[in-house]
Amino acid sequence: MPNTPLNPDALETAARATYEMRNPESWAHSWEELDPEEREEEWVKPARTVATAYLAVAQPVVNSVEELDALPVGSVFMDSDKDWAYQIISNGEPGREGRVIVGAGLEEDFGADELVFPLTVLRRPEVPGA
């Protein structure tokens, strides 16, 4: 999936659905009556955050270090040249920063900044509650 901006109409639809779910018909203000700035700050912005987080782990292609960081430990992915597979084996160790990523058949660790994007996700372990 390309790293493109989220559809603003879809975000507003998600935000409105959340608002209406949390505020039954007896609520004092309908969605249309809300101040546009309040709608954006209180409802659309959180919907954007949730959608971005979901897509970062759901999409089969990772386009940035931030998206890679959202993948769970155990995820396996292939580099853009499709000649090496890597696995995230931990979220970090004492005295090390960040995640530990190993290449299949290699003895060394890789930092996310050493990888060439986009990466193709081959396996993502099941995440309880997801």
Side-chain angles (χ1 to χ4, degrees), residues 25-80:
E25 291 180 25
S26 63
W27 190 251
H29 302 286
S30 70
W31 177 256
E32 290 79 13
E33 293 173 321
L34 287 177
D35 175 62
E37 288 180 21
E38 179 184 356
R39 272 199 315 249
E40 176 63 29
E41 193 61 32
E42 298 295 323
W43 299 97
V44 176
K45 193 173 182 180
R48 182 180 300 108
T49 300
V50 169
T52 300
Y54 174 81
L55 291 173
V57 297
Q59 65 183 1
V61 175
V62 173
N63 295 296
S64 69
V65 171
E66 293 78 20
E67 291 175 4
L68 179 61
D69 286 345
L71 291 174
V73 171
S75 295
V76 177
F77 53 90
M78 188 175 292
D79 66 11
S80 63

Side-chain angles (χ1 to χ4, degrees), residues 92-109:
E93 300 171 5
R96 290 192 57 148
E97 288 186 30
R99 307 186 115 187
V100 177
I101 300 168
V102 295
L106 301 175
E107 301 274 330
E108 60 189 292
D109 298 347

